[in-house]
Amino acid sequence: DAKTTQPNSMESNEEEPVHLPCNHSTISGTDYIHWYRQLPSQGPEYVIHGLTSNVNNRMASLAIAEDRKSSTLILHRATLRDAAVYYCIPGLNAGGTSYGKLTFGQGTILTVHP
Amino acid sequence: DGGITQSPKYLFRKEGQNVTLSCEQNLNHDAMYWYRQDPGQGLRLIYYSQIVNDFQKGDIAEGYSVSREKKESFPLTVTSAQKNPTAFYLCASSRGHQNTEAFFGQGTRLTVV
């Protein structure tokens, strides 16, 4: 599994954009990059995933570096409900059958101030 | 609504007793997983199952057992052999193909006294 490095914590103000970085320099060429988030006392929730191109969905955007050694999750307008632990998870080889085995690191604790 | 259900939400047991945590999904997913989470830590994989009647050990399977007799159910038994069973247990499911979204239950918080 690729090792990831994420900041332990980040803070943002409500309504402002948030950029959550992740370094995954040992990622294999065919591994996807997944992001999940976990609200307090709840199970993790899927946010977004991508392989090489930048991706957008209703929750967030994912910017992937050209060399794929890092990525950034972008929340365009943070709300109080976005306060959570955000996990960056490389894996689930596009050519393999790893059946959703996700390896969670420590993640980044995002605090959103009113 | 489709989803994954864990019960109970809170569970208390005496040391030395086995306890079984329930996980049910109605998403028609082939794959199911059990994770353990300790305070301030990420999730660690206990067991996973890719198909009915088949399952594999994850990273921390010692002291745990599972069964997968039905597609929609994947119960986890925490045995007395598990040295530190107090934790937050999370069940998840996915379609089973590569690169699919995993859906998590709300978790069971087990406290052993």
Side-chain angles (χ1 to χ4, degrees):
Chain A
D1 294 335
K3 290 188 177 180
T4 59
T5 302
Q6 297 180 254
N8 289 333
S9 62
M10 293 185 65
E11 297 186 18
S12 174
N13 294 318
E14 205 173 5
E15 304 286 315
E16 291 184 354
V18 182
H19 290 233
L20 297 161
C22 179
N23 286 321
H24 32 76
S25 58
T26 61
I27 192 171
S28 76
T30 52
D31 275 348
Y32 286 89
I33 299 157
H34 299 253
W35 283 80
Y36 280 73
R37 71 180 186 182
Q38 185 176 23
L39 279 65
S41 298
Q42 293 191 26
E45 173 188 31
Y46 168 86
V47 178
I48 200 168
H49 77 272
L51 185 61
T52 55
S53 303
N54 295 343
V55 184
N56 300 294
N57 67 19
R58 63 175 180 82
M59 291 182 69
S61 295
L62 177 60
I64 301 171
E66 194 170 338
D67 62 7
R68 294 190 5 101
K69 294 184 176 180
S70 65
S71 61
T72 302
L73 179 71
I74 302 166
L75 306 179
H76 296 285
R77 292 180 65 196
T79 70
L80 297 178
R81 293 179 66 249
D82 291 323
V85 180
Y86 285 79
Y87 297 100
C88 163
I89 307 172
L92 301 184
N93 187 297
T97 55
S98 49
Y99 285 89
K101 284 172 57 184
L102 299 166
T103 300
F104 288 77
Q106 302 278 35
T108 296
I109 300 171
L110 176 65
T111 302
V112 180
H113 299 289
Chain B
D1 288 356
I4 184 163
T5 302
Q6 291 185 243
S7 61
K9 190 170 183 178
Y10 299 96
L11 190 56
F12 294 88
R13 278 295 181 270
K14 290 184 178 180
E15 193 172 346
Q17 290 182 335
N18 291 355
V19 60
T20 297
L21 281 59
S22 170
C23 179
E24 304 277 332
Q25 54 99 0
N26 60 4
L27 300 166
N28 200 33
H29 284 170
D30 286 319
M32 297 187 73
Y33 317 83
W34 274 105
Y35 288 87
R36 167 185 173 139
Q37 187 173 34
D38 293 289
Q41 304 296 314
L43 282 67
R44 291 184 291 169
L45 183 64
I46 304 173
Y47 267 99
Y48 65 101
S49 169
Q50 298 174 353
I51 198 169
V52 174
N53 293 322
D54 184 58
F55 49 83
Q56 283 80 40
K57 293 181 179 180
D59 300 320
I60 56 165
E62 185 176 352
Y64 300 97
S65 66
V66 293
S67 62
R68 186 85 188 277
E69 297 176 1
K70 298 186 295 182
K71 187 175 186 178
E72 59 270 22
S73 178
F74 191 40
L76 173 74
T77 297
V78 184
T79 75
S80 56
Q82 169 50 234
K83 295 180 180 177
N84 297 297
T86 295
F88 188 43
Y89 290 88
L90 288 154
C91 180
S93 70
S94 69
R95 282 204 305 272
H97 304 288
Q98 64 268 23
N99 189 36
T100 61
E101 175 184 348
F103 292 79
F104 283 82
Q106 291 300 298
T108 293
R109 194 167 297 278
L110 173 65
T111 302
V112 175
V113 296

